Amino acid sequence: MRKKPLLNFWQLWNMSFGYVGIQFGFALQNANMSRIFETLGAKVENIPILWIAAPVSGLLIQPIIGHMSDKTWNRLGRRKPYFLGGAILSSLALLIMPNSPSLWVAAGMLWMMDGSINVTMQPFRAFIGDMLPDEQRTKGFAVQTFFIGISSVVASALPYMFTNWLHVANTAPEGQIPPSVKWSFYIGGVVFLAAVLWTILSVKEYSPEEQEEFNAHESDAAAKEGSEIQLKPQNYYTEGAVLLLVGLIFSYIIKHFEWDKGLYILSFGIAFYGALQIAAAWRYARGKVDGMVEIIYDLQNMPATMKQLALVTVFTWFALFAMFIYTTSAVTSYHYGTTDTQSALYNEGANWVGVLWSVWNAMAAIIAFLLPVFARKIGRVSTHVICLFIGGLGLISMILFKEPKFLLFSMIASGVAWASLLTMPYAILSSAVPHKKMGVYMGMFNLFVVIPQILAAAILGLLVHTVFHGQTIYAIVLGGVAMIFSGVLMMFVKDSKSEKNSHEQPVASSH
């Protein structure tokens, strides 16, 4: 069996440079979408449901794109066709978004923008698994994390820089997006496409034949595809019928008790997956082993390590989504004492949130260089556990600091967790899944990023409106508790190919 060569620094750099553009898009979205929604008239308790487009688009798109990219090979390569298509659509969405004339147009554009970014981002995760040997994957994902952090520093602070350095207006008439935000999105659209093109033009992917040589040892159930797949239709019929029934009953309960309508996404999702299992079994029984059958089979046969990481990820992303959707509202209302989106004080607070996000991402960029070192010393699992505990405490501390400037410490702490979250789970996962399914399993892993976001969007809005009496700072504290619990769960994850005590010697590849 031929072993993948280690890549040198510049090869790692070029391979992940496209993430500069991807994170420009996500950072502008995270730091400004709640502000845009509130400016266009959204009530604070309705903001979570408006954000629902982001996780739902990832839920639908990432497994499909992952499966398709696993099966693709053309003149551009395996993953790069999806880099290019997603980048073009994402850039267009970034240019259009700040010109949304109404709230629902902005919500629709968020759907388009997030979906397009997902088309680009999902193959970038699999790209690391494709190109790097096991012992270098933590470093590969850490380089991605560095680019995510450093580009987010700039993107999150763009409105602040336009306002304070270039004296671009930071306020606008009622119902209009401030020019400082508009120009930030325009810059993001250009950077997105340019950065992704850099990776496309500077990196050559391994051919399917080379990948087979590198991974000839794989033989587990998760690695099977096409005619190799063997499933028991009766089991799928039974489980599918149960899920379909549970989803329908859950939907009825939501309607009967008038629960948050966002929960319909979960209830319909459960019923839909049950229907997919039934359809997959029906097609398999008739000799059809197509994309849908393979995707359902792959999901049912996830590697054990992936299942453990999934549970950790659910609680971690519940915490992060609380932070994403409520930081602007919490800081402006709790620390600046205003909910008037037209006031200079509110917009000052919103700009400070952009600075806080920049610090958060800067910390992630710095920690990215240290994570591979810690992983070799104490293991990837222990490294991630420690980072999650630090991050959870950072979120909880936001309620303790009344002075806005002290929130820098909260964001530094939670930035440590963010760096590890972008690196360790994916490094562990890429070592646990077969190479032929790298794309689809990376895409499926996004299910466990999305499901807690849907729960957060449905549950947190209700809690803020009732239990928290409109005080969104308590939603962030709840997120901190969830992140600490995810650290406890992480202690039980088995990393079959830990880098602890390994010593990688990066050398240039001849490829």
Side-chain angles (χ1 to χ4, degrees):
M1 182 185 71
R2 183 180 166 197
K3 185 178 175 64
K4 288 181 187 175
L6 299 177
L7 302 187
N8 63 31
F9 174 79
W10 291 113
Q11 289 168 316
L12 291 173
W13 178 280
N14 290 335
M15 185 167 42
S16 293
F17 190 76
Y19 246 104
V20 170
I22 292 171
Q23 199 56 32
F24 249 77
F26 275 130
L28 286 169
Q29 174 179 301
N30 291 340
N32 295 286
M33 283 314 302
S34 291
R35 178 181 185 177
I36 290 174
F37 287 150
E38 287 191 86
T39 299
L40 294 175
K43 295 180 179 179
V44 67
E45 62 266 23
N46 292 330
I47 289 177
I49 200 66
L50 292 169
W51 271 82
I52 208 72
V56 170
S57 63
L59 180 71
L60 297 173
I61 289 171
Q62 288 217 22
I64 295 172
I65 293 298
H67 176 79
M68 291 172 62
S69 66
D70 284 340
K71 304 291 185 181
T72 296
W73 184 259
N74 60 29
R75 291 170 60 186
L76 272 178
R78 186 185 194 189
R79 313 292 181 188
K80 290 194 288 186
Y82 301 92
F83 296 169
L84 180 60
I88 292 171
L89 292 174
S90 300
S91 297
L92 290 174
L94 284 164
L95 295 176
I96 296 170
M97 169 63 80
N99 296 295
S100 300
S102 67
L103 178 61
W104 292 108
V105 171
M109 287 308 305
L110 174 60
W111 194 296
M112 176 183 170
M113 182 169 68
D114 198 89
S116 302
I117 295 174
N118 272 291
V119 171
T120 309
M121 182 191 73
Q122 194 286 324
F124 260 97
R125 294 293 189 194
F127 200 41
I128 296 294
D130 290 344
M131 301 297 294
L132 298 179
D134 284 327
E135 61 267 33
Q136 207 175 18
R137 285 178 182 169
T138 299
K139 181 175 286 186
F141 284 110
V143 172
Q144 281 192 354
T145 300
F146 169 76
F147 281 128
I148 289 170
I150 204 68
S151 56
S152 295
V153 169
V154 178
S156 297
L158 277 177
Y160 180 90
M161 290 189 287
F162 273 116
T163 300
N164 293 279
W165 298 357
L166 301 178
H167 307 293
V168 175
N170 191 46
T171 58
E174 184 176 357
Q176 294 185 28
I177 311 302
S180 60
V181 176
K182 286 187 176 183
W183 280 102
S184 298
F185 275 77
Y186 298 158
I187 294 295
V190 174
V191 171
F192 196 116
L193 184 58
V196 172
L197 284 174
W198 180 282
T199 291
I200 290 173
L201 297 174
S202 63
V203 179
K204 180 182 177 184
E205 295 186 74
Y206 289 120
S207 69
E209 293 75 22
E210 288 173 308
Q211 290 287 1
E212 287 298 322
E213 287 186 62
F214 294 142
N215 299 280
H217 63 287
E218 295 177 346
S219 60
D220 59 327
K224 294 179 181 178
E225 60 180 352
S227 60
E228 298 176 339
I229 290 177
Q230 294 183 354
L231 58 83
K232 296 179 180 179
Q234 188 56 49
N235 293 348
Y236 281 66
Y237 282 131
T238 302
E239 185 175 332
V242 170
L243 290 175
L244 181 59
L245 182 61
V246 168
L248 294 175
I249 292 173
F250 188 20
S251 298
Y252 173 78
I253 292 173
I254 295 169
K255 183 178 186 299
H256 180 74
F257 291 101
E258 299 182 346
W259 290 352
D260 191 288
K261 290 182 175 61
L263 290 172
Y264 279 124
I265 297 173
L266 281 180
S267 65
F268 290 165
I270 292 170
F272 181 63
Y273 183 63
L276 285 179
Q277 281 193 290
I278 294 171
W282 184 84
R283 291 186 64 80
Y284 179 81
R286 283 154 182 77
K288 305 288 186 180
V289 187
D290 55 9
M292 184 184 70
V293 173
E294 278 199 62
I295 290 174
I296 299 301
Y297 176 86
D298 291 339
L299 189 56
Q300 294 290 105
N301 289 276
M302 289 188 299
T305 297
M306 182 174 175
K307 294 177 182 177
Q308 294 174 320
L309 285 171
L311 189 58
V312 174
T313 303
V314 164
F315 284 94
T316 309
W317 274 93
F318 181 92
L320 282 174
F321 203 61
M323 184 182 181
F324 289 160
I325 63 179
Y326 281 126
T327 296
T328 297
S329 174
V331 171
T332 53
S333 62
Y334 184 78
H335 298 91
Y336 280 82
T338 181
T339 57
D340 180 8
T341 60
Q342 301 301 307
S343 69
L345 188 60
Y346 174 91
N347 285 284
E348 180 186 343
N351 276 1
W352 181 241
V353 170
V355 175
L356 292 176
W357 283 120
S358 294
V359 170
W360 187 69
N361 284 293
M363 190 63 189
I366 294 168
I367 292 296
F369 288 109
L370 302 177
L371 289 175
V373 177
F374 287 126
R376 287 196 298 271
K377 296 292 184 182
I378 63 175
R380 296 188 288 205
V381 170
S382 297
T383 299
H384 196 42
V385 168
I386 293 170
C387 291
L388 289 175
F389 284 157
I390 293 172
L393 293 173
L395 290 181
I396 294 171
S397 73
M398 290 184 72
I399 198 172
L400 303 177
F401 297 131
K402 297 296 180 65
E403 183 66 31
K405 64 183 179 182
F406 291 131
L407 293 175
L408 291 169
F409 296 109
S410 302
M411 299 304 275
I412 287 171
S414 59
V416 171
W418 178 234
S420 186
L421 180 65
L422 293 172
T423 305
M424 292 304 164
Y426 295 100
I428 295 170
L429 180 63
S430 68
S431 298
V433 302
H435 83 283
K436 289 182 179 179
K437 304 292 181 70
M438 188 71 69
V440 72
Y441 276 126
M442 286 290 180
M444 285 178 182
F445 193 64
N446 191 58
L447 295 174
F448 309 107
V449 171
V450 169
I451 289 171
Q453 293 183 50
I454 296 171
L455 282 172
I459 294 171
L460 290 175
L462 179 63
L463 289 175
V464 167
H465 185 59
T466 56
V467 180
F468 300 154
H469 304 293
Q471 297 295 312
T472 51
I473 187 69
Y474 293 112
I476 293 179
V477 172
L478 181 61
V481 174
M483 186 172 286
I484 289 174
F485 184 65
S486 72
V488 174
L489 293 175
M490 187 66 198
M491 295 178 181
F492 301 96
V493 173
K494 304 296 183 185
D495 184 3
S496 58
K497 297 181 180 178
S498 175
E499 295 180 6
K500 184 178 179 179
N501 298 324
S502 69
H503 300 281
E504 37 177 278
Q505 300 293 329
V507 295
S509 165
S510 60
H511 182 72

